[in-house]
């Protein structure tokens, strides 16, 4: 079905603002990555990719507005609540069917991305090619996969956390916030090792829980949420051990992002409240047919664009260096003058990659199980767990050094890229098999 037909067929009950937030949050992340990349060539000819926010610390307060990943996870909570309730009513095999339905548009393009880059990395290594920007690219292009891993966890935990929400409401959210507070107290107050990694779950799932509250119309007054979150983040940064930037900085002892901190949770509350204040005017704007068609089109390619946007950016820099172009000092006047040209080039190349790979983001036909299968739920749970650890591991180790057994530390376990790829593919196949049944008309 064409995007214009999908837009025209949109039911009046659909929350269009949620679709806009999904597209806008991913688009902001993509643009932020393009702007933060500070590529330079040292006197020894070595290519380096730094972070503009580390070179220009005065820009770090901008992350309090443009670090919008919490908004995407909030939107995910809203969508997952509606989707799981619909699946729960329609089949006795709700969990496996729900996982497959929610993860198709996430995992299929992700698996293709991993397969393409893995094959390219292996071919380059067998050919003895490497060095310079290529080695950096093999490491950097996999980093956005951390987002896929966290989102997988949110989908997997939706059923139990939704039940807690339906029973306790704000109390379920409060329990996750209390757990995040306890983790930071143990981490910073008592120096307990490894406990900080628990906040990958508690912080992001708390933001996700706000989406459940929004789905039930129980979010309350958004200005109170925004004010409390902003005040909390400001106090924690001013008087606590938390850095100013809401994105990770190279070499910093404490990051608000990896692992997430209580300051980032407050930042998420501020953002959720702030975007909810825009719901009214944005809703009226989205009623314009051409605006809504644009959002529908963007939603259909957003994950593909997210996965390949760093490939496009590094490809542009690679072409410039191969042509002998001189890269200006990041943050200099010339560098800023060239920003619009680099953005246009990156958008163009991303568009080409999206045109090639967007087909894998299209969901296949809807299915429902033809007969009860006792193993489907556990198999789906195992599959999504394997995918989660696979993509998180790959985001840390990258695609370089495939034949040398290069490893990265994932929590307390060393993982290699081949092992991460095997876990991801095996998990994806399990999720697909467990949730698959006979085709039904949609």
């Amino acid at each position: 079905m064409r995007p214009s037909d999908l837009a025209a067929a949109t039911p009046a009950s659909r929350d269009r603002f949620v679709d806009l937030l999904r597209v806008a949050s991913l688009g902001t992340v993509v643009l932020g990555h393009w702007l933060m990349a500070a590529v330079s060539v040292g006197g020894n000819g070595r290519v380096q990719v730094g972070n503009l926010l580390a070179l220009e610390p005065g820009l770090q307060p901008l992350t309090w507005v443009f670090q919008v990943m919490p908004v995407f996870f909030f939107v995910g909570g809203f969508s997952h609540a509606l989707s799981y309730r619909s699946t729960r009513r329609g089949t006795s095999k709700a969990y496996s069917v729900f996982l497959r339905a929610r993860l198709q548009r996430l995992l299929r393009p992700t698996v293709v991305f991993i397969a393409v880059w893995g094959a390219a990395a292996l071919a380059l290594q067998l050919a003895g090619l490497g060095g310079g920007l290529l080695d950096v690219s093999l490491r950097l292009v996999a980093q956005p996969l951390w987002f896929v891993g966290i989102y997988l966890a949110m989908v997997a935990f939706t059923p139990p956390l939704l039940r807690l929400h339906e029973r306790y409401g704000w109390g379920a959210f409060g329990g996750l916030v209390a757990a995040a507070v306890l983790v930071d107290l143990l981490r910073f107050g008592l120096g307990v090792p490894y406990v900080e990694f628990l906040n990958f779950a508690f912080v992001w799932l708390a933001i996700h829980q706000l989406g459940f509250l929004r789905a039930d119309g129980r979010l309350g007054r958004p200005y109170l949420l925004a004010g409390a979150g902003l005040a909390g983040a400001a106090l924690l940064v001013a008087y606590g051990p938390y850095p100013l930037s809401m994105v990770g900085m190279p070499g910093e002892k404490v990051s608000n992002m990896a692992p997430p901190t209580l300051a980032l949770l407050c930042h998420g509350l501020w953002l959720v409240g702030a975007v909810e204040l825009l719901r009214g005017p944005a809703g009226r704007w989205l009623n314009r047919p051409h605006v809504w068609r644009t959002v529908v089109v963007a939603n259909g390619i957003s994950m593909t664009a997210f996965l390949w946007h760093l490939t496009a950016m590094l490809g542009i820099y690679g072409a410039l260096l191969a042509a002998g172009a001189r890269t200006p000092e990041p943050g200099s006047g010339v560098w800023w003058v060239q920003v619009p040209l680099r953005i246009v080039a990156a958008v163009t190349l991303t568009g080409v990659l999206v045109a090639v790979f967007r087909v894998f983001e299209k969901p296949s036909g809807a299915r429902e199980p033809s007969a009860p299968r006792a193993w489907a739920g556990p198999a789906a749970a195992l599959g999504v767990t394997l995918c989660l650890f696979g993509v998180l591991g790959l985001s840390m180790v990258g695609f370089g050094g495939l034949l040398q057994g290069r490893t990265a530390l994932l929590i307390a376990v060393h993982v290699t890229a081949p092992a991460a790829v095997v876990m991801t593919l095996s998990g994806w196949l399990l999720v697909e098999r467990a949730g698959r049944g006979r085709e039904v008309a949609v």
Side-chain angles (χ1 to χ4, degrees):
M1 185 179 290
R2 295 178 303 173
S4 57
D5 296 330
L6 287 173
T10 302
S13 59
R14 186 174 183 90
D15 193 327
R16 300 185 180 195
F17 186 57
V18 166
D19 293 286
L20 175 64
L21 289 180
R22 183 183 295 111
V23 170
S25 55
L26 279 184
T28 301
V29 171
V30 168
L31 181 60
H33 285 169
W34 285 340
L35 289 173
M36 287 192 298
V39 178
S40 59
V41 181
N44 58 359
R46 184 179 179 183
V47 179
Q48 298 176 326
V49 180
N51 190 320
L52 180 66
L53 295 176
L55 300 174
E56 301 286 344
L59 297 176
Q60 291 183 15
L62 294 177
T63 63
W64 287 49
V65 176
F66 295 108
Q67 163 48 302
V68 295
M69 198 55 84
V71 175
F72 189 89
F73 293 145
F74 162 69
V75 168
F78 176 93
S79 300
H80 297 157
L82 299 184
S83 176
Y84 184 67
R85 283 168 173 166
S86 175
T87 306
R88 187 169 56 186
R89 289 191 296 267
T91 175
S92 60
K93 295 187 58 54
Y95 188 63
S96 60
V97 174
F98 166 75
L99 281 184
R100 181 177 183 269
R102 295 307 299 173
L103 296 183
Q104 268 198 336
R105 287 184 59 186
L106 182 72
L107 283 181
R108 292 203 321 178
T110 299
V111 167
V112 171
F113 172 82
I114 291 172
V116 171
W117 263 107
L122 184 60
L124 289 168
Q125 190 165 349
L126 290 173
L129 300 177
L133 185 61
L134 183 57
D135 285 349
V136 177
S137 299
L138 290 174
R139 174 175 51 86
L140 285 182
V141 293
Q143 286 187 357
L145 291 176
W146 75 266
F147 151 79
V148 177
I150 298 299
Y151 200 77
L152 285 169
M154 292 180 173
V155 177
F157 281 106
T158 287
L161 289 178
L162 185 59
R163 285 193 290 271
L164 287 175
H165 159 76
E166 289 169 345
R167 182 171 183 179
Y168 299 108
W170 277 97
F173 167 77
L176 290 168
V177 172
V181 172
L182 178 60
V183 166
D184 272 15
L185 287 175
L186 294 173
R187 175 187 182 185
F188 296 115
L190 300 178
V192 177
Y194 298 117
V195 70
E196 63 268 24
F197 293 104
L198 292 173
N199 267 349
F200 274 114
F202 295 140
V203 168
W204 290 126
L205 288 176
I207 299 296
H208 188 250
Q209 205 79 5
L210 289 175
F212 295 168
L213 290 161
R214 179 65 190 83
D216 287 347
R218 299 175 62 185
L219 204 55
R221 299 176 176 85
Y223 60 86
L224 293 179
L225 195 65
L230 185 59
L235 290 172
L236 289 170
V237 169
Y239 299 105
Y242 305 97
L244 173 65
S245 174
M246 291 299 164
V247 300
M249 292 289 105
E252 62 185 358
K253 292 181 63 176
V254 176
S255 166
N256 280 321
M257 276 289 293
T261 64
L262 183 59
L264 185 67
L265 175 54
C266 289
H267 171 68
L269 302 183
W270 136 247
L271 283 182
V272 168
V275 298
E276 281 295 305
L277 289 172
L278 300 175
R279 177 173 292 275
R284 292 187 290 273
W285 183 60
L286 288 167
N287 284 329
R288 300 178 181 178
H290 68 282
V291 173
W292 179 236
R293 281 196 301 270
T294 302
V295 173
V296 170
V297 171
N299 257 313
I301 61 173
S302 57
M303 182 52 57
T304 304
F306 175 79
L307 287 168
W308 291 98
H309 76 280
L310 284 185
T311 301
M313 182 200 74
L314 293 166
I316 296 300
Y317 275 110
L320 291 173
L321 293 174
R326 185 176 179 181
T327 58
E329 185 69 21
S332 65
V334 175
W335 188 90
W336 281 109
V337 168
Q338 292 182 358
V339 163
L341 297 177
R342 290 197 299 271
I343 296 298
V344 169
V347 168
T348 302
L349 185 50
T350 300
V352 172
L353 292 169
V354 166
V356 173
F357 295 108
R358 65 177 296 180
V359 64
F360 299 103
E361 192 170 347
K362 294 180 180 179
S364 62
R367 298 173 181 262
E368 65 180 21
S370 54
R373 291 173 292 180
W375 55 267
L382 175 61
V384 75
T385 302
L386 287 172
C387 284
L388 188 158
F389 284 106
V391 296
L392 285 181
L394 198 54
S395 75
M396 300 182 71
V397 72
F399 292 101
L402 293 179
L403 301 180
Q404 283 76 34
R406 177 185 171 189
T407 66
L409 188 65
L410 177 61
I411 304 179
V413 178
H414 287 276
V415 62
T416 64
V421 170
V422 169
M423 283 193 291
T424 303
L425 293 178
S426 302
W428 172 60
L429 291 174
L430 271 175
V431 170
E432 281 286 310
R433 183 71 184 92
R436 185 179 295 158
R438 59 183 172 83
E439 292 283 353
V440 295
V442 292

